[in-house]
Amino acid sequence: MNFLRGVMGGPSAGPQPSGAETIQKLCDRVASSTLLDDRRDAVRALKSLSKKYRLEVGIHAMEHLIHVLQTDRSDSEIIGYALDTLYNVISNDLEEEEQEENLPKQVDDLGSQFTEIFIKQQENVTLLLTLVEEFDFHVRWPGVKLLTSLLKQQGPQVQQIILVSPMGVSRLMDLLADSREVIRNDGVLLLQQLTKSNAAIQKIVAFENAFERLLDIITEEGNSDGGIVVEDCLLLLQNLLKNNNSNQNFFKEGSYIQRMKPWFEVGDDNCGWSAQKVTNLHLMLQLVRVLVSPTNPPGATSSCQKAMFHCGLLQQLCTILMATGVPADILTETINTVSEVIRGCQMNQDYFASVNAPSNPPRPAIVVLLMSMVNERQPFVLRCAVLYCFQCFLYKNQKGQGEIVSTLLPSTIDATGNSVSAGQLLCGGLFSTDSLSNWCAAVALAHALQENATLKEQLLRVQLATSIGNPPVSLLQQCTNILSQGDKIDRRGSKVQTRVGLLMLLCTWLSNCSIAVTHFLHNPANVPFLTGQIAENLGEEEQLVQGLCALLLGISIYYNDNSLENYRKEKLKQLIEKRIGRENFIEKLGFISKHELYSRAAQKPQPSFSSPDHMMFDHEFTKLVKELEGVISKAIYKSSEEDKKEEEVKKTLEQHDNIVTHYKKVIREQDQELEELKQRINTLTSQNEQLQATVTQQVSQIQQHKDQYNLLKVQLGKDTQHHNSHSDTFQMNGIQTEEVSKLKEELEEWKNKHELLQGQLREKDSVIEKLKSSQLEIGTTEQSSQTGKSGGLEHNNELQKELEMLRSQIQLQSAEISKLQMENQKLQVMNTTADPVLGDSSTRAANNSELEGRLEQEIKELKSEVKALSEEKESLKQHLDSSSSTVAILQDEKSKLQQEVAESKKEQDDLLVLLADQDQKLSALKIKLKDLGVPVEDEDDIESGDQGDEDEDGDEEEQD
């Protein structure tokens, strides 16, 4: 034990051994000792030396310590010492005095090298995962720290080992449920390192209910008022959600967005925010931005934006935005967060437009933010955030764009001047002496015109009063004036920045708007200014302005409708060829996309610049440059014939587009009609089914009533045989006589109605017979009228069939009436034969009352049948009227044909008279010719010759 006393600092005789010798002896002791206590003391001694002699312990003791972890798992104390020793060797978190002695680079190398040695055998990491499952504090906590350190040193390799080990990630997720806060908090740090840049592990952790547990921890710790544990949980949530669409969707579907709302509930007293609260709220805002980032898929972003609106999160953020006493960095981050929550979402954009600042009088939040943007005293980062918010508000929001532009139009400007509008603030910023305000206002106004040709045309109406006594100037003209006088005006900041902003505004305004191009070219000073700027050889800073001038001139050529004779496409191309040169023009145009600041702006929509001098390009403008650079280069080299062909092609394409849109509209209308018809069919089918069901029910009920009626008749017959009570019959006699008299009267009425119906039927039969005879007469006329007659005959045949059916129904009714008469006679016989002195019978009375009810029901049914017969009679009358109209039409046609025949006969008689006169004249002429000695053929010879010619013609036709 003298050796151990020497190591632990006790008194010892002789020279002290060196650190390396001591470590070697301790390692031998760990390897060779059979007693667990000796090995434990040796490992404890190694732990105490591991910080000072990190290299020696790592080289000599690592293998023995791993062996201890494998063999001595039953003793938690020695396992804990071994894990602490390995942590001290591998970790780079050294004490301050040790950091002063050693170089950081050397420390990093040591930790990485020892980690590589440890994980070379994958079983070591698997063993460590097993030890982390132990509940003993002295084992679990050092194991968590060691695994965290391994992930820090060699993250991807350790992640892969944990990923392939069975239930590796699930074991580590249990750390979040540990009741000991130290282990739980270090477990959060471990999961932070584990989930870095590994989507597969991120998904597993998310589906192991990590969101629920982390949000519970944040709530328990007090949300934004919590300590560093809340910060660690928020960092872990960011790891799980950032650039991971699957986890973002899972977070939204799990209704976890709703649980974020309490994070942003700040009170009225916002003074004295702690540094930790500012950090926590900053991370919370960044987490919201992760869910609605413009780099996410549009569908996922849109669904998260809608969820944030419906749960009230957006409203809570707007409350922070308009609150007082909020720290500047939190306010800036809140503006950026609100920007991305409303970007491209019409519902959120409409809500943001309705938000008012708590001022007197209340002003829209957009106006208050624009005031900050054009105020040069505000911090640069805050002004950039406000610009981004304004851009996001107008992104794919034509309604918002129209509202902003309308504040500039003459008809909507407030004449009293009590309130400042967004348009007035933008104009004020555009023409101020601060170059940053010029740039921000120009970009904001360009976003108000983005992809909206209507507003580009309306903005041409804006007139500005430059000074008292001078006529107003259009906004377009004022922009070009400032552009041309840029060097003469004294400005704070970069003059290039102002010119770049105005050129971006003009390029956006003129693109895809021929009317704006015409207005721009109408000013004779604009084209010479642009060509002069492009042709000069200026410095590196001015090259960017030259490129934008070339782009603006190219837009004026490409979108030129040739309405101005002096500035037609061909003339502008010739001007470029003479004064600039095509190659030089294309080279200057390429300066834009080659610029470093252009590449930075093209990466993401948010304007983030390290300094105001770097604020040159807008993200949306970079898209416009990409779109137009190629087409302008082609347009410069195109000939006039190619331009004409292209215009013709454009016109035909527009015509085709119009036709397609027309057909699409027609198809939509037809689809709507089809849907309506389908709905009507569905309703009618359902009604039909209901009616059929009711009919079947009524038929079954009628059958039941008939059966009950028959049973009652049988029972009544039996009762008359067994009960001969005089008093009962006497009482019933009076009732039955009254009922019998009523029945007789109703039967007489039915008989009369029956006779009337038969008389009407006879009349109809006579009418039909007359129609038949008239139709037979008409049948002898021309063939053209036979189709109408056949239709009339068919119609009459149908009427005849319907009459036959009516007759059969009347016969059935007469049979039923005869049955009722028989029953009535039977009742009368029963009345006469009944003895009036017999006692009463309650059953007989009940049966008779039921019989009366049944009789009344039968009478009602007969009435309904008669009503149906009358309706059929009316329909027959209508049919007869239609047939009579057809017969009248046929008779008219017959009379017309007879007149035509008479006229033709008269014409034939006239022709015969004429022929007879001609024959007489011919015979007289022949006699005169014969007297004169001229040979004349007889009529018989001529007739024979004609006959021969006719025979020859017939033979030829047969041969053909």
Side-chain angles (χ1 to χ4, degrees), residues 620-729:
E620 291 296 325
F621 181 73
T622 59
K623 293 181 181 178
L624 183 68
V625 173
K626 286 179 186 176
E627 180 186 344
L628 293 177
E629 189 176 6
V631 296
I632 288 172
S633 301
K634 290 179 183 176
I636 295 299
Y637 285 102
K638 277 182 183 176
S639 63
S640 58
E641 294 178 357
E642 290 176 347
D643 285 335
K644 288 179 182 178
K645 288 180 181 178
E646 189 175 351
E647 287 177 2
E648 290 177 358
V649 170
K650 282 183 181 178
K651 287 180 181 178
T652 53
L653 287 173
E654 287 176 359
Q655 290 176 357
H656 287 305
D657 290 339
N658 292 332
I659 293 168
V660 168
T661 52
H662 172 69
Y663 280 119
K664 282 182 180 178
K665 186 179 179 182
V666 171
I667 289 166
R668 285 195 203 96
E669 291 175 355
Q670 290 177 349
D671 288 337
Q672 290 177 357
E673 289 177 0
L674 281 172
E675 289 296 327
E676 292 174 358
L677 290 171
K678 285 179 181 178
Q679 291 176 359
R680 286 181 63 189
I681 288 168
N682 292 330
T683 53
L684 288 172
T685 50
S686 61
Q687 289 177 1
N688 189 18
E689 290 174 357
Q690 291 175 1
L691 290 171
Q692 286 180 350
T694 53
V695 166
T696 52
Q697 288 177 1
Q698 289 176 358
V699 168
S700 62
Q701 288 176 0
I702 288 166
Q703 189 62 39
Q704 289 176 2
H705 291 319
K706 286 183 178 179
D707 295 339
Q708 290 174 3
Y709 177 65
N710 292 329
L711 286 171
L712 284 170
K713 285 199 293 185
V714 172
Q715 288 177 1
L716 185 62
K718 289 180 180 179
D719 289 339
T720 53
Q721 293 177 0
H722 295 288
H723 301 284
N724 294 319
S725 175
H726 295 289
S727 62
D728 184 40
T729 52

Side-chain angles (χ1 to χ4, degrees), residues 863-919:
K863 287 180 179 179
S864 62
E865 289 178 1
V866 169
K867 187 178 180 181
L869 286 170
S870 63
E871 289 176 356
E872 289 180 358
K873 172 189 167 186
E874 291 295 328
S875 63
L876 283 172
K877 281 183 179 179
Q878 292 177 359
H879 287 307
L880 285 170
D881 293 336
S882 62
S883 62
S884 61
S885 64
T886 53
V887 168
I889 291 165
L890 291 172
Q891 285 177 351
D892 292 338
E893 290 180 355
K894 175 186 172 184
S895 61
K896 287 179 182 178
L897 289 170
Q898 286 175 350
Q899 287 177 1
E900 289 177 358
V901 169
E903 288 175 357
S904 61
K905 285 181 180 179
K906 187 177 179 182
E907 288 176 357
Q908 285 177 359
D909 292 336
D910 294 338
L911 288 170
L912 287 172
V913 171
L914 288 171
L915 286 171
D917 292 337
Q918 286 179 355
D919 286 336

Side-chain angles (χ1 to χ4, degrees), residues 361-383:
R363 287 176 175 168
I366 297 169
V367 172
V368 175
L369 291 173
L370 287 176
M371 286 178 176
S372 302
M373 186 184 75
V374 297
N375 186 356
E376 55 187 297
R377 296 177 184 175
Q378 294 292 340
F380 171 67
V381 181
L382 180 65
R383 297 174 76 181

